[in-house]
Amino acid sequence: MIVNRAKIKRYGCPVGSLCTELAKLDHGGLGDANRLFTLFRDWMRRQFESLGHKTDADELAMHLLSRSQGIANLASAFHDEKFIKQEVRRLYEWLRPFTNNALLCENP
């Protein structure tokens, strides 16, 4: 999000926008577009699993995905790059305990 913050501020998330517009039209291509989100979701789920959260990995992945989409949507609506930076910092804070716990498990 930080690398693409100028584009996110201006346009929002292209995947989110595409899915939203296809849903409005009840378009047959919505399922194909949703596969892009599924790729992100599956990758994030695997990351949480590798951090030792096998039972709730998908729930955590969906939470992270929804937060990132909300950030992109609001940053675009308010044209606020500072908001992106602030929220990404909060995402890092939210994620930190997951990585700290994984390190403790590897080095008891």
Side-chain angles (χ1 to χ4, degrees):
M1 292 187 89
I2 293 297
V3 171
N4 294 320
R5 67 184 178 271
K7 289 180 182 178
I8 290 170
K9 182 180 86 171
R10 190 165 184 189
Y11 306 113
C13 173
V15 176
S17 297
L18 175 63
C19 290
T20 298
E21 294 305 316
L22 291 175
K24 288 178 191 176
L25 300 171
D26 197 25
H27 193 277
L30 179 60
D32 290 334
N34 280 342
R35 287 190 198 141
L36 295 170
F37 274 134
T38 301
L39 287 172
F40 293 133
R41 178 184 185 176
D42 290 348
W43 182 84
M44 285 187 269
R45 178 185 41 78
R46 288 191 304 272
Q47 303 316 301
F48 282 112
E49 287 173 348
S50 72
L51 292 170
H53 290 269
K54 299 203 184 304
T55 58
D56 58 348
D58 191 59
E59 180 182 321
L60 293 167
M62 285 296 286
H63 178 73
L64 184 55
L65 187 57
S66 69
R67 282 186 72 176
S68 64
Q69 283 302 296
I71 294 166
N73 194 22
L74 291 174
S76 176
F78 291 108
H79 297 281
D80 190 346
E81 198 168 315
K82 181 181 170 188
F83 174 74
I84 296 170
K85 291 177 182 178
Q86 166 191 304
E87 292 303 309
V88 167
R89 187 175 60 252
R90 288 185 174 146
L91 285 176
Y92 276 116
E93 291 168 6
W94 179 76
L95 288 166
R96 188 172 294 117
F98 295 105
T99 57
N100 288 343
N101 288 340
L103 292 173
L104 289 174
C105 292
E106 289 177 7
N107 302 306

